[in-house]
Amino acid sequence: MLSVAEERQQQIVNYLKVEQFARIQDLIKLVNYSEATVKRDLVHLENKGLVRRTRGGAMIIDNQKIDIPYLMKMNELNNEENKKYIAEVAKTLIRDDMVIFLDSSSTSLYLVGVLSRFEGLQIITNGVMTASMLSEFTSARVSILGGSILPKRYTVNGAKAYNDALTYNADIAFVSCRGIDYDKGATETHEGEALIKQAYRRQSNLLVLLATQEKMNHKFMHQSLACHDIDYLITDFKLDEETEARFNAHHITCMY
């Protein structure tokens, strides 16, 4: 559960994501706290790389590149209908007794409710919160990769986790991404996250990429998956014919 300060800071970040810029006075009215408190929040958020303070206000740092703290994402869980929709589509690819790789993304968390409907599953994940929720809400046997936890993201990644992933063999892997396009494939802002997805691809028979609309046609620093690594692309909207044809040319089946 978020603290009062974290909830207030989430309000500020969410507001800035929509408005891009806000004056201090706007934020004081938004959260109903003193100017001193709001300024402390902005210093804290700036130190996390989420916002940039300006004279008399603050602006969001590139919406596509910021890493919202994981607990802030968790606070929005069950409120994102697009991710619920993706999970329901993904359900059609799951069968009883499967061995499944699941990444640590918030999109993948929406699969937990879907996975609870199946029996005999074995699930391997690099998500600390993901593993906890799977253990709580499904009957699956759950394994979590060993390695270093990335601060404030509840994800285990890096070389040790990569090598651990290579000790498993899975029927299917469900992963998300920071960005996807038909030239560079799936990309991430963190090298460690990209490594884990490469391991999942290597050790699974099928790989399914889960991507909400805002991730389309964006490229980031680290490639996690080339297009030829992806078997299924599940989105929350219908791709235009040209885009779908370009993904199909890489032998990707698009589902929505």
Side-chain angles (χ1 to χ4, degrees), residues 39-56:
K39 285 183 175 179
R40 282 196 298 272
D41 286 339
L42 292 177
V43 169
H44 182 74
L45 292 170
E46 186 173 53
N47 289 339
K48 286 185 173 181
L50 299 176
V51 307
R52 181 174 297 113
R53 289 182 297 153
T54 63
R55 183 179 294 275

Side-chain angles (χ1 to χ4, degrees), residues 19 33 81 86 95 181 185 192 195 217 229 253 255:
E19 301 296 331
Y33 275 80
E81 295 298 326
I86 284 175
R95 301 290 181 269
D181 75 14
L195 269 175
N217 302 316
D229 292 322
T253 300
M255 300 174 67

Side-chain angles (χ1 to χ4, degrees), residues 132-239:
S132 177
M133 290 182 65
L134 286 167
S135 178
E136 181 75 20
F137 298 110
T138 76
S139 61
R141 287 179 54 192
V142 182
S143 299
I144 187 167
L145 300 184
S148 301
I149 299 177
L150 193 66
K152 302 187 185 302
R153 295 200 61 208
Y154 290 76
T155 181
V156 182
N157 63 31
K160 188 172 182 180
Y162 173 86
N163 288 328
D164 195 4
L166 297 183
T167 66
Y168 297 95
N169 293 299
D171 297 301
I172 194 167
F174 291 98
V175 304
S176 190
C177 60
R178 182 56 65 91
I180 168 90
D181 75 14
Y182 38 71
D183 291 320
K184 297 298 182 182
T187 52
E188 299 289 337
T189 54
H190 291 276
E191 183 179 17
E193 277 296 306
L195 269 175
I196 294 299
K197 289 162 191 181
Q198 290 162 19
Y200 286 176
R201 167 67 281 182
R202 181 173 166 180
Q203 299 301 117
S204 60
N205 295 332
L206 292 172
L207 185 134
V208 183
L209 184 69
L210 314 173
T212 51
Q213 186 168 8
E214 70 271 11
K215 296 179 180 181
M216 300 300 297
N217 302 316
H218 289 287
K219 291 177 279 190
F220 297 92
M221 184 174 180
H222 300 285
Q223 185 185 54
S224 55
L225 301 162
C227 281
H228 65 256
D229 292 322
I230 303 166
D231 296 300
Y232 292 90
L233 171 63
I234 300 180
T235 62
D236 57 332
F237 71 107
K238 180 174 173 56
L239 301 173

Side-chain angles (χ1 to χ4, degrees), residues 85-102 111 114-115 117-119 121 170-175 201 204-211 230-235 251-256:
Y85 176 82
I86 284 175
E88 287 298 318
V89 176
K91 177 184 67 175
T92 63
L93 300 175
I94 302 169
R95 301 290 181 269
D96 288 342
D97 303 312
M98 274 187 160
V99 179
I100 298 173
F101 280 130
L102 193 62
L111 283 173
V114 167
L115 293 168
R117 306 172 197 176
F118 296 88
E119 298 295 331
L121 298 180
D171 297 301
I172 194 167
F174 291 98
V175 304
R201 167 67 281 182
S204 60
N205 295 332
L206 292 172
L207 185 134
V208 183
L209 184 69
L210 314 173
I230 303 166
D231 296 300
Y232 292 90
L233 171 63
I234 300 180
T235 62
H251 305 290
I252 298 172
T253 300
C254 299
M255 300 174 67
Y256 37 81

